[in-house]
Amino acid sequence: MKRISAPRRTASLSAQLVDSLRSHIESGGWPVGTRIPAEQALIEELGVGRSTLREAIGALVHLGLLEPRAGDGTYVRSSSELQSVMVRRASSAQRDNVLELRTVLEEYASGTAALHRSESQLQQLRELLADADAACAGEDTSAATSVDALFHRAVVRASGNDLLIEVYDYLGTALTSSLGGLPWDALHAEEHARLHRRLVDAIDARDQGGARDAAAAIVQLTRDHETSTPRAAEDR
């Protein structure tokens, strides 16, 4: 049977520009949270017309990669479309569901990290623990949240599972965005730090079961903290 010939297409200039800018964002050329260059600067750098650039920027805003801020320019909101979708989905989900998803991912990753971690990865985890302690001692909530996110990403990377690492990289921002921002009292903060030390010790000892238990306990502590915080009750 004769095959049907597919039509030949030539991508429009704006579509090519969308692909180019998306690749630039995904590769970290414009990191998440940074403001992109001004419109005139981009026109001169890229050699395109104003309408073509605005069409491409608008498409990336629609995809959730860029975010315009009135009077302040355009910022990189996400490094991928999937990440953007997951952030929006997690922000609309019940917090219990987000915590359950985090338990599944981090418990498995922690157990696998205990089996496959390298000495350099173990050293990185201990350095991040020290950074977290310093942030908590300085009562810098934003810094503590940031270091905690880096710590859990490092645990997942130590698992050596490339697919899990990729999925968690997309979901990590969504989890942090959904769960971050609640204040921790001294008692919860100390227990949070103790459980993280227990997790690293288990990974150090290649104790798969102990690592999984510690990871689950960390998420359970977060769940208990969420339940006892007024904002959590309002979000249910």
Side-chain angles (χ1 to χ4, degrees):
M1 180 180 294
K2 186 177 179 180
R3 298 182 63 183
I4 300 174
S5 299
R8 301 181 66 180
R9 304 184 184 88
T10 301
S12 67
L13 183 57
S14 63
Q16 293 178 55
L17 185 55
V18 167
D19 289 341
S20 177
L21 294 178
R22 180 197 286 130
S23 296
H24 190 65
I25 292 170
E26 290 177 348
S27 67
W30 290 340
V32 174
T34 60
R35 183 172 57 187
I36 70 173
E39 182 178 81
Q40 188 56 42
L42 286 174
I43 289 173
E44 295 174 1
E45 178 182 352
L46 300 170
V48 298
R50 193 176 304 276
S51 61
T52 298
L53 177 62
R54 288 182 176 179
E55 185 177 347
I57 294 296
L60 293 173
V61 169
H62 180 72
L63 291 172
L65 301 185
L66 297 178
E67 177 186 11
R69 299 180 186 176
D72 193 27
T74 300
Y75 285 76
V76 180
R77 180 181 182 184
S78 175
S79 61
S80 73
E81 295 160 56
L82 178 57
Q83 185 184 75
S84 176
V85 169
M86 290 308 303
V87 168
R88 289 199 301 269
R89 183 63 186 90
S91 65
S92 66
Q94 291 186 355
R95 301 175 83 83
D96 274 351
N97 290 345
V98 177
L99 286 164
E100 287 171 5
L101 175 59
R102 180 178 171 181
T103 301
V104 169
L105 293 175
E106 294 188 4
E107 184 178 341
Y108 177 81
S110 297
T112 309
L115 299 180
H116 300 296
R117 58 83 178 162
S118 66
E119 289 300 321
S120 61
Q121 288 170 329
L122 180 62
Q123 179 61 29
Q124 181 187 25
L125 291 175
R126 294 212 177 275
E127 289 173 356
L128 287 170
L129 280 183
D131 290 344
D133 288 342
C136 290
E139 299 184 351
D140 188 339
T141 303
S142 177
T145 299
S146 178
V147 173
D148 188 64
L150 289 174
F151 174 87
H152 288 288
R153 281 191 173 93
V155 170
V156 174
R157 288 193 174 90
S159 73
N161 185 320
D162 290 339
L163 183 57
L164 177 60
I165 293 167
E166 184 177 355
V167 170
Y168 192 85
D169 277 344
Y170 285 133
L171 290 174
T173 299
L175 295 174
T176 302
S177 175
S178 178
L179 298 177
L182 293 179
W184 288 74
D185 58 47
L187 183 62
H188 279 96
E190 175 55 35
E191 180 65 5
H192 189 258
R194 186 189 70 80
L195 289 173
H196 279 69
R197 290 192 294 270
R198 176 178 146 194
L199 172 57
V200 174
D201 287 343
I203 292 175
D204 185 0
R206 299 193 185 277
D207 179 0
Q208 183 180 20
R212 292 181 65 121
D213 288 346
I218 289 170
V219 180
Q220 184 58 52
L221 178 67
T222 304
R223 185 192 298 274
D224 294 342
H225 176 56
E226 290 276 306
T227 302
S228 64
T229 303
R231 200 186 81 181
E234 295 172 2
D235 292 342
R236 288 179 181 276

